[in-house]
Amino acid sequence: TPPTPSFDMSRLTAEKLAAEAGSPLFWRRQTARRMLIERSHNPGWADLASPILVQLARESTEPAAVINALHTLDGLMKLDFDLIVEILKHADAGVRRQALTFVEQRMADARYRKPCLPLADDPEPIVRLQLALTLVNNFDDQMQPALARLARQEGEDPWMRTAILSSLGEGKNGQMLSELLSQPADLGQAHGMLEPLCAAIGARRDKREIDVALVQIAAVGDAALQALCLRGIRSSFGSSVAVPLGD
């Protein structure tokens, strides 16, 4: 039986604390992370610890150790683009999900957007759901196909539906409706999203957005789909109300 490690970790060097970030003991992992971050103001401290933490994140077979190493690097401001992109492809779904949370914090940097999009086809539902949440307030033309794919695959799931709708920032509901109605025969589970999506469009009372939505709905050759979309727009008005439309 290996000797029990000392409870006193206060005298450990940066390198040894970094190694402890991968300890099989939860309290040692967490203590090592806390102490490394608390002491990061010490000159050279983060530089000594980060190579060991990077190696731990890349090579450890324990998901908990990988995740703890990533969070420690993040706290030391040493978590870089290359490592995050690498971890997005990790074998463990929990690690991939955590990598997406780091992407979410860095969405202002356009480099992070494209590498996360393939996770729309991830085999694990928790990763796909995290992707939808990661895209919240970061919806753009590059993200639109990935969200539409999630909608077609899992739009009937209440968690996924809510995540996707929340990802559509101001004025983006119309863009998503256009994307979905462009292939009405391939709606799949996105069928269940049309009504709440149209309700969100109506609720904004934006003349141009409603104009465009009505034109798109009219172009669909399926009367049932048209009725579903129009019911969504109408549901956002509690009573009769005049909304000026274009010609």
Side-chain angles (χ1 to χ4, degrees):
T1 302
T4 302
S6 170
F7 284 93
D8 184 7
M9 299 173 65
S10 63
R11 298 183 180 181
L12 295 182
T13 64
E15 295 94 332
K16 289 185 178 180
L17 281 174
E20 288 287 354
S23 170
L25 301 175
F26 173 80
W27 73 268
R28 290 188 75 85
R29 289 197 307 271
Q30 295 300 103
T31 301
R33 173 172 151 191
R34 174 180 59 79
M35 294 180 70
L36 282 167
I37 295 172
E38 285 178 350
R39 300 179 183 183
S40 61
H41 63 278
N42 292 341
W45 189 264
D47 292 332
L48 290 170
S50 59
I52 298 169
L53 292 167
V54 169
Q55 183 179 9
L56 184 60
R58 285 179 168 151
E59 299 179 5
S60 176
T61 59
E62 293 296 327
V66 174
I67 291 171
N68 195 51
L70 293 171
H71 278 283
T72 308
L73 284 165
D74 189 43
L76 296 173
M77 302 183 70
K78 292 290 185 178
L79 183 58
D80 62 21
F81 171 78
D82 291 337
L83 183 57
I84 291 176
V85 170
E86 184 177 336
I87 297 299
L88 284 170
K89 302 173 185 177
H90 197 277
D92 183 81
V95 174
R96 296 195 301 276
R97 177 178 175 273
Q98 286 294 318
L100 281 170
T101 67
F102 293 120
V103 169
E104 184 176 336
Q105 300 165 14
R106 295 162 171 80
M107 276 294 193
D109 184 342
R111 293 181 304 158
Y112 285 91
R113 300 186 179 189
K114 187 176 180 179
C116 72
L117 298 183
L119 293 177
D121 296 315
D122 194 276
E124 293 298 328
I126 190 63
V127 178
R128 299 192 300 271
L129 177 61
Q130 182 61 55
L131 175 63
L133 294 170
T134 294
L135 300 183
V136 169
N137 297 325
N138 292 292
F139 182 90
D140 60 15
D141 291 342
Q142 191 177 24
M143 305 296 185
Q144 183 170 303
L147 277 177
R149 192 155 66 251
L150 289 172
R152 292 184 180 106
Q153 294 170 353
E154 302 174 74
E156 293 178 1
D157 179 89
W159 291 97
M160 182 61 78
R161 182 167 63 244
T162 301
I164 293 173
L165 290 172
S166 68
S167 296
L168 301 175
E170 185 174 331
K172 303 298 185 181
N173 296 287
Q175 291 183 33
M176 177 58 77
L177 180 66
S178 177
E179 176 77 24
L180 295 176
L181 292 184
S182 67
Q183 302 177 54
D186 299 322
L187 274 173
Q189 293 193 25
H191 186 279
M193 287 194 59
L194 292 178
E195 188 170 347
L197 191 58
C198 289
I201 292 172
R204 278 176 37 79
R205 305 293 198 272
D206 183 283
K207 169 185 173 298
R208 185 178 182 283
E209 191 174 14
I210 295 176
D211 275 355
V212 172
L214 290 174
V215 170
Q216 292 168 341
I217 293 167
V220 176
D222 186 319
L225 280 181
Q226 290 177 331
L228 185 66
C229 293
L230 292 174
R231 185 164 64 243
I233 292 177
R234 178 65 184 85
S235 69
S236 66
F237 300 95
S239 58
S240 297
V241 61
V243 179
L245 301 175
D247 296 331

